[in-house]
Amino acid sequence: MIVIDAASPTPPYEQLRAQLARQIQDRSLAVGTKLPTIRRLAADLGLAVNTVARAYRELEEAGLIETHGRAGSFVSAAGEQALDRARSAARDYAAVITSVGIDPAEAVRIVEAALGVGPPRSSSPN
């Protein structure tokens, strides 16, 4: 279920994109699932057609969905491949963190900073 919060500072297209991406990544939307048409989803959510189209376009650019003309938009197998790549990168990162002796909590903060999420890091005194 998609919920758009009109009071959120996050633009509606980004809320939609993030929620669909999460559903694809957690497999709530399986590979091959046909997504609603842009017009239908816009009507269902009370959004402008261009808003939904932008979210779909960004999901397609990320390889999470594919659009097949009039046949519609579908969850892409490439989304599964992207998840596999992320898992592999996480394993590699964990190996590096372990080998250099960085605390796991600090490793998570490093990732959050790289993703631009989480609280800002404070400078440590030298």
Side-chain angles (χ1 to χ4, degrees):
M1 181 168 139
I2 304 290
V3 177
I4 303 299
D5 179 2
S8 173
T10 304
Y13 81 89
E14 177 56 23
Q15 292 180 52
L16 176 58
R17 186 210 60 76
Q19 289 179 56
L20 285 171
R22 192 170 342 160
Q23 289 179 11
I24 291 167
Q25 292 167 345
D26 72 12
R27 296 182 180 85
S28 298
L29 289 173
V31 170
T33 300
K34 184 174 182 179
L35 299 176
T37 65
I38 290 172
R39 289 186 189 283
R40 174 62 187 212
L41 190 55
D44 289 350
L45 296 174
L47 297 173
V49 170
N50 287 340
T51 299
V52 176
R54 181 172 179 184
Y56 273 30
R57 199 169 39 252
E58 290 191 9
L59 289 165
E60 190 165 19
E61 288 170 3
L64 296 175
I65 69 171
E66 322 177 320
T67 301
H68 299 285
R70 290 197 169 283
S73 297
F74 300 83
V75 174
S76 170
E80 188 67 27
Q81 294 167 350
L83 219 63
D84 289 343
R85 285 181 52 207
R87 285 186 189 106
S88 176
R91 282 190 299 273
D92 293 346
Y93 179 66
V96 169
I97 291 305
T98 301
S99 73
V100 296
I102 292 177
D103 176 72
E106 179 62 17
V108 169
R109 286 190 290 275
I110 292 168
V111 170
E112 287 173 340
L115 292 171
V117 298
R121 293 186 61 198
S122 61
S123 306
S124 57
N126 288 343

